[in-house]
Structures are given as structure tokens and as C-alpha cells.
């Protein structure tokens, strides 16, 4: 079955005949269009179209798997495409302003659906996993290339820029998110985006980044010691690595997000670090850096072959420091395969 057939099946479930797709990841998933922020997809009972404007005539001719409609204003064309069929929209993405305008134009309220297409993207096809493999390979290569530059006196932002440069030169579409390089006490910030801070001897540096290849996001975190580090930092590192390896080893079809999260959380609790693990264990990646399945203490998501997961426990002690270690894996028929291959044991540079 094609992706569009899957969409029509989903539409039937919510009693709609037509869908307006505005979430960029879904627009790209259905059409292949690599500038999905500037287009929408409309799926009707007998057509599936990509609507965008005149800037993209040549690009869509090359990229789009769907029939293309070039128009300066897609909202004006919508009515003739939709007719009287009930129209579903993506509530998680369509702005309230646009919802009101569509209501006025159609003379009726669209059906607001919640993450209607997300389930279709959960299990990756072989060609999607191949893109993720390449994104992870580029990510690993960038870390190997930049690691020699990690030394006292270098600013965090320089490391981030070097990683970005290396990934772009190797074919990455860009960085999937703001690169995290968090050194010294900044490593206690789970989301410590690279700053002006100068890296010093004795810092344990958290580096969290990932290439994007063909639209698909890799995601990896390593914690690297710059010179000898305090014994307490090393204790945190060893505990996180133990938790990461235990949770990763348990990845298999049938496991729930909640179970995997608990494995890491219970292990860190044995090291008196439960309270310091202040986020969830992981997430899926794909056309978005964060997508399903969710691996958290509240997640009933059940793993299936073809799903991707990050396993990324971390501990953070404000004013002191923190550690996170993250791998990207794909669920297989009998377990998992790790895509991120950079060494994750203790490394001191
Ligand atoms: Zn990450
Ligand atoms: Zn992540």
C-alpha cells in the first residue's frame, strides 16, 4: 500500500474524506518535497496533490511524488479541491488564525485531528532506515574528526561549528538541532547549547548532535573528559553508562517505553541518582528529531521492528556538572541494531 492509501484509511477512521496536510514533516513524507514549510498536501478520495507557489516550479518537478499545483495562494484553490467532502486538518500544526480563515472560506468548520499521520511514520521502511544509517555515519565521522580539537582553551562554540562544518561537508542537510556542547558546570544543563565558554582542563564535556541526511535525523550524545576529572564526575559517568547499556540491551519488539525508562531509572536509583535523571529516557527520530515512540515513565508506546529509538539517560547536578550518553538504535525482529557507532566508554583527551 502506498503512503497515500494509508492516509485515506486514517481519514476514514475519523469520518473525513479529505485531508489538508500542513505539518512540514508530513508534507515531506507524502510528497518528497524538500521545502515542506512552503507547501501543503491535499489528499482527496481520488487525488493527492502538493500545493506550493511559483518559486518551486522547477524543484517540485524534480522532487514531488504527487501531482503538483502551483498557485500564489493555495487557500484559494482549496475549495475547488475539497468540494463538499468533510475536510480534516492537523490540529497540532494548523494555526488558529488559519483554521478560522479556512472555516470562513469553506463555510463550515474543518475536522481537527490530533497527530493523525504520526502513527504512519512510526515504523520506518528500509529506505528510511538507510537514510538514518547514513546520517549516523556522518555524525560518527564528524566526532572522530573534531575530537582532536577538543582541548583546554577552545570555546564550546568552536567545537559546535567544527562539528557542523564536518557534517555539512560530508553531505548532511544541516544540523538537526542546536548542537549541545556543555562543559564544566554547564554540563548540568541537559540542553546546554554551545556557548562562548572556554573549555578547561578537568571539564567533562557533553556533546549532543546529529546529522540530517535526506531529511532523516541522527542523534547522539557523548561525554568526553578534557584532562583528568574529579572522582565524583567519573562516578556519574560510570553510573550513566551502566544505565544506558542496560536500557539499550533491553530494546526489543513488545517492550514499552515505560519499561525501558524504568530500567535506566532503577539503575540510577541504586547509585542515589534517581532525582538527578530529570528527563525521559528517549524518543524516536525520523523526519523530525523528536517523534514517536516516546520512552518515558508515562509512555505505553510498544516497540515494533522498524521503529527507531534513542536511549539517553543523563544525570545533572546543578552547580557541579552532569553526564548524558545517547545512542540511536533501530528495533529489529529479535532486538535492536545500534546506528551510532562512536566509542562510548570513558574517553579522556
Ligand atoms: Zn541528542
Ligand atoms: Zn535525543
Amino acid at each position: 500500500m502506498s503512503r497515500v492509501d494509508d492516509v485515506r484509511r486514517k481519514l476514514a477512521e475519523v469520518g473525513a474524506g479529505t485531508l489538508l496536510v500542513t505539518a512540514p514533516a508530513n508534507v515531506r513524507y507524502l510528497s518528497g518535497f524538500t521545502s515542506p514549510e512552503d507547501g501543503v498536501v491535499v489528499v482527496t478520495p481520488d487525488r493527492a496533490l502538493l500545493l506550493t507557489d511559483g518559486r518551486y516550479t522547477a524543484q517540485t518537478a524534480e522532487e514531488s511524488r504527487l501531482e503538483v499545483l502551483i498557485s500564489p495562494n493555495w487557500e484559494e484553490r482549496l475549495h475547488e479541491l475539497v468540494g463538499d467532502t468533510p475536510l480534516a486538518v492537523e490540529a497540532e500544526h494548523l494555526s488558529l488564525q488559519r483554521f478560522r480563515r479556512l472555516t470562513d472560506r469553506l463555510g463550515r468548520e474543518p475536522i481537527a485531528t490530533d497527530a493523525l499521520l504520526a502513527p504512519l511514520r512510526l515504523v520506518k521502511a528500509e529506505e528510511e532506515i538507510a537514510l538514518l544509517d547514513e546520517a549516523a555515519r556522518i555524525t560518527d565521522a564528524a566526532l572522530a574528526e573534531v575530537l582532536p580539537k577538543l582541548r583546554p582553551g577552545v570555546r564550546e562554540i568552536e567545537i559546535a561549528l567544527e562539528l557542523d562544518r564536518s557534517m555539512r561537508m560530508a553531505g548532511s542537510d544541516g544540523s538537526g538541532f542546536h548542537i549541545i556542547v556543555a562543559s564544566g558546570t554547564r554540563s548540568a544543563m541537559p540542553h546546554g547549547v554551545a556557548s562562548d565558554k572556554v573549555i578547561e582542563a578537568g571539564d567533562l564535556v557533553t556533546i549532543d548532535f546529529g546529522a540530517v541526511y535526506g531529511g532523516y535525523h541522527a542523534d547522539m550524545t557523548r561525554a568526553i573528559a578534557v584532562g583528568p576529572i574529579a572522582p565524583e564526575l567519573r562516578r556519574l559517568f560510570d553510573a550513566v553508562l551502566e544505565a544506558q547499556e542496560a536500557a539499550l540491551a533491553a530494546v526489543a519488539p513488545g517492550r514499552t517505553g515505560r519499561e525501558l525508562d524504568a530500567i535506566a531509572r532503577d539503575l540510577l536509583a541504586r547509585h542515589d541518582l534517581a532525582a538527578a535523571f530529570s528527563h525521559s529516557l528517549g524518543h524516536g527520530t525520523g523526519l523530525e528529531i523528536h517523534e514517536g515512540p516516546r520512552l518515558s515513565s508515562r509512555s505505553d508506546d510498544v516497540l515494533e521492528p522498524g521503529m527507531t529509538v534513542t536511549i539517553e539517560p543523563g544525570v545533572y547536578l546543578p552547580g557541579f556538572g552532569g553526564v548524558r550518553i545517547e545512542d540511536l538504535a533501530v528495533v529489529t525482529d529479535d532486538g535492536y541494531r545500534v546506528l551510532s557507532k562512536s566509542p562510548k566508554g570513558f574517553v579522556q583527551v
Side-chain angles (χ1 to χ4, degrees):
M1 262 212 309
S2 78
R3 292 175 180 182
V4 171
D5 290 334
D6 289 337
V7 172
R8 293 204 177 101
R9 196 167 37 79
K10 281 277 164 200
L11 275 177
E13 285 172 17
V14 297
T18 306
L19 175 66
L20 170 66
V21 184
T22 49
N26 291 337
V27 170
R28 182 161 185 172
Y29 180 72
L30 294 173
S31 69
F33 183 37
T34 61
S35 304
E37 294 80 6
D38 291 329
V40 299
V41 164
V42 176
V43 178
T44 75
D46 48 10
R47 292 172 82 184
L49 306 100
L50 170 66
L51 281 70
T52 184
D53 62 72
R55 291 173 296 170
Y56 295 106
T57 305
Q59 187 180 326
T60 51
E62 233 173 69
E63 295 177 346
S64 182
R65 291 190 289 266
L66 306 178
E67 182 186 343
V68 176
L69 189 59
I70 301 285
S71 167
N73 185 345
W74 61 261
E75 284 184 11
E76 280 173 10
R77 307 298 297 273
L78 197 62
H79 195 259
E80 64 186 73
L81 293 171
V82 171
D84 294 328
T85 57
L87 173 71
V89 295
E90 301 181 291
E92 75 277 17
H93 190 268
L94 192 78
S95 73
L96 193 52
Q97 183 192 49
R98 200 150 236 179
F99 185 85
R100 286 179 178 144
R101 281 213 304 264
L102 287 177
T103 303
D104 285 347
R105 223 176 258 279
L106 298 172
R108 62 180 188 276
E109 232 178 51
I111 301 166
T113 65
D114 192 14
L116 186 75
L117 302 190
L120 304 184
R121 292 188 8 230
L122 267 177
V123 172
K124 269 67 183 175
E126 245 170 65
E127 63 268 22
E128 295 178 287
I129 292 171
L131 295 172
L132 283 163
D133 262 315
E134 180 62 6
R137 191 196 63 75
I138 293 170
T139 306
D140 285 329
L143 185 62
E145 189 186 332
V146 174
L147 214 49
K149 296 180 174 146
L150 185 64
R151 57 177 188 272
V154 171
R155 287 179 299 154
E156 292 173 353
I157 189 70
E158 292 175 67
I159 298 299
L161 288 171
E162 288 292 338
L163 289 169
D164 193 41
R165 191 197 63 83
S166 172
M167 292 191 293
R168 295 293 283 266
M169 294 296 281
S172 171
D173 306 344
S175 188
F177 50 93
H178 287 298
I179 293 176
I180 291 172
V181 179
S183 63
T185 54
R186 291 192 77 251
S187 62
M189 291 192 282
H191 210 251
V193 169
S195 76
D196 254 358
K197 181 188 169 293
V198 172
I199 293 167
E200 294 167 56
D203 282 354
L204 184 59
V205 186
T206 302
I207 302 177
D208 185 351
F209 71 112
V212 185
Y213 188 76
Y216 283 77
H217 293 70
D219 191 6
M220 177 174 79
T221 309
R222 292 294 183 260
I224 315 258
V226 177
I229 58 169
E232 175 64 2
L233 270 177
R234 180 61 196 265
R235 185 181 82 87
L236 299 184
F237 180 94
D238 290 340
V240 169
L241 182 60
E242 191 185 346
Q244 202 272 348
E245 287 179 332
L248 181 64
V251 170
R255 287 282 197 175
T256 66
R258 185 194 304 268
E259 284 168 7
L260 293 173
D261 184 276
I263 290 170
R265 212 164 288 279
D266 292 348
L267 233 152
L268 289 169
R270 271 186 247 156
H271 294 279
D272 280 329
L273 291 168
F277 180 18
S278 54
H279 53 74
S280 53
L281 179 69
H283 54 88
T285 76
L287 285 169
E288 291 177 285
I289 179 64
H290 293 126
E291 47 182 67
R294 290 182 338 118
L295 309 184
S296 80
S297 57
R298 293 182 305 279
S299 171
D300 294 318
D301 292 352
V302 180
L303 298 190
E304 289 174 47
M307 287 182 177
T308 56
V309 289
T310 69
I311 301 291
E312 50 178 308
V315 296
Y316 312 92
L317 303 179
F320 177 68
V323 184
R324 178 169 63 260
I325 299 170
E326 172 182 31
D327 278 323
L328 174 61
V330 58
V331 182
T332 59
D333 289 335
D334 54 0
Y336 64 95
R337 180 170 68 80
V338 179
L339 277 58
S340 42
K341 300 200 165 41
S342 299
K344 67 182 171 188
F346 185 73
V347 173
Q348 182 182 314
V349 296

